[in-house]
Amino acid sequence: MGLFPIKQFGRPRSGTNYTRWVIENNFSNARVLQNIFGGKHLRYNAENFEKDSESWLTHHNAITDTHRDEIEKFKRGYKNGSMIFVVTMKPLDKYLSSLFRFKDTALGPDDKNAIERGINLYNSINANYIKKIPAPSIFFNYEAIKTQLNTVRSFFINNGLEPIGGGCNIELNYKLAANTDKKIICTVPESESRDFGQDDKEEYFCADIRNHENKKIREILDEGVHVRLRV
C-alpha cells in the first residue's frame, strides 16, 4: 500500500511536531503533511485547500517533479475522502505558558494586548478546526496520546494505516523510535511545568484563565481524544 496522506493542524506550541513523530514512527505508511495543503498552524480553508498544496514548497524553492507526483496522489485522497486530518490541541493555560517560555514568540506576561491577541487566535483558529475540518479526523489534547493509546491506535488502523511490527500488541511509542533525534523531539511531559498566570507579575491572568476558552474546545480537551468518522 502507498503512503497515506495525513493533514496536520494545530496551534504553535500545541505538540504538532511531537504528534508527527509519534505517527510516522509507529505506522509504516503514514505521511504527515505539515505545510503541504496549507500551513499546519493556519486555519482550514476548503476553498483554498488544493490551491495551497504546493505553496510552501514553491515558496522555499523545494518543489520537484517527485513532490508534484506525490501531491497529485494526495489530492485524489482528499477528493475521495481517504485523507486523514489530525488536530493537536492544548489547554489555554498550558498553551500560554508554553508560548511564554518559547523565546521566539516574544510573548511577555506583562504585554496584555499581545496575550489577549493570543487568546483570541487560540479560540478562533481552534474553533475553525472543530467546525470546518472534515472526517475522517481526530482531535486530541496532546497529553492524551499517552493516556488513550488504544483509541488513537484504533482510529489510524481502521483508516488504513499499517502499524510497525505487524500489529502484534503494538502501542504508540510515545518515547519515540530509536532512530528519532531526541534533541529535536522529546517525550511528552507529565504536565507543563506551571500553569500560566501563577506568578505574581502575571496577576492579570490569575483569575480563571480557562473561562476565556471556547466551550467546544474545552469539551474536546476534557474528552482527550475526539474522533470523527466518515458516514
Side-chain angles (χ1 to χ4, degrees), residues 91-225:
L92 180 56
D93 52 352
K94 295 181 179 180
Y95 166 77
L96 291 173
S97 174
S98 188
L99 279 180
F100 173 65
R101 289 183 286 107
F102 189 59
K103 296 179 180 178
D104 289 353
T105 63
L107 174 62
D110 55 346
D111 187 345
K112 297 179 182 180
N113 291 332
I115 296 174
E116 287 176 352
R117 288 195 299 272
I119 291 173
N120 290 336
L121 276 174
Y122 171 93
N123 283 325
S124 65
I125 293 182
N126 280 316
N128 164 268
Y129 298 153
I130 294 169
K131 183 178 180 180
K132 300 291 186 180
I133 285 179
S137 54
I138 183 168
F139 298 71
F140 49 78
N141 183 332
Y142 82 122
E143 292 181 338
I145 299 177
K146 282 200 328 183
T147 60
Q148 300 189 41
L149 296 175
N150 289 335
T151 301
V152 176
R153 175 178 177 272
S154 296
F155 169 81
F156 286 118
I157 292 175
N158 291 339
N159 281 281
L161 270 69
E162 299 172 349
I164 295 173
C168 300
N169 300 318
I170 186 175
E171 290 186 340
L172 285 176
N173 180 10
Y174 61 84
K175 292 184 179 179
L176 307 182
N179 62 351
T180 299
D181 185 350
K182 292 183 174 61
K183 293 181 180 178
I184 299 176
I185 306 296
C186 300
T187 59
V188 166
E190 292 300 322
S191 64
E192 295 290 342
S193 60
R194 61 180 173 80
D195 286 342
F196 194 83
Q198 299 307 305
D199 294 346
D200 290 341
K201 66 178 182 178
E202 298 170 14
E203 184 176 357
Y204 177 69
F205 281 103
C206 281
D208 298 326
I209 185 68
R210 290 191 177 182
N211 285 342
H212 291 281
E213 280 180 329
N214 176 288
K215 182 179 179 181
K216 187 60 179 179
I217 296 171
R218 168 51 50 189
E219 289 176 357
I220 289 179
L221 287 166
D222 288 344
E223 189 177 351
V225 176

Side-chain angles (χ1 to χ4, degrees), residues 11-45:
R11 295 300 296 140
R13 313 304 298 159
S14 65
T16 54
N17 288 328
Y18 166 78
T19 300
R20 174 192 175 188
W21 281 105
V22 166
I23 296 171
E24 291 190 342
N25 278 280
N26 286 278
F27 296 96
S28 60
N29 59 336
R31 175 72 158 85
V32 178
L33 310 175
Q34 292 193 302
N35 295 304
I36 296 174
F37 294 102
K40 64 178 180 177
H41 298 316
L42 305 180
R43 289 175 172 80
Y44 168 76
N45 186 327

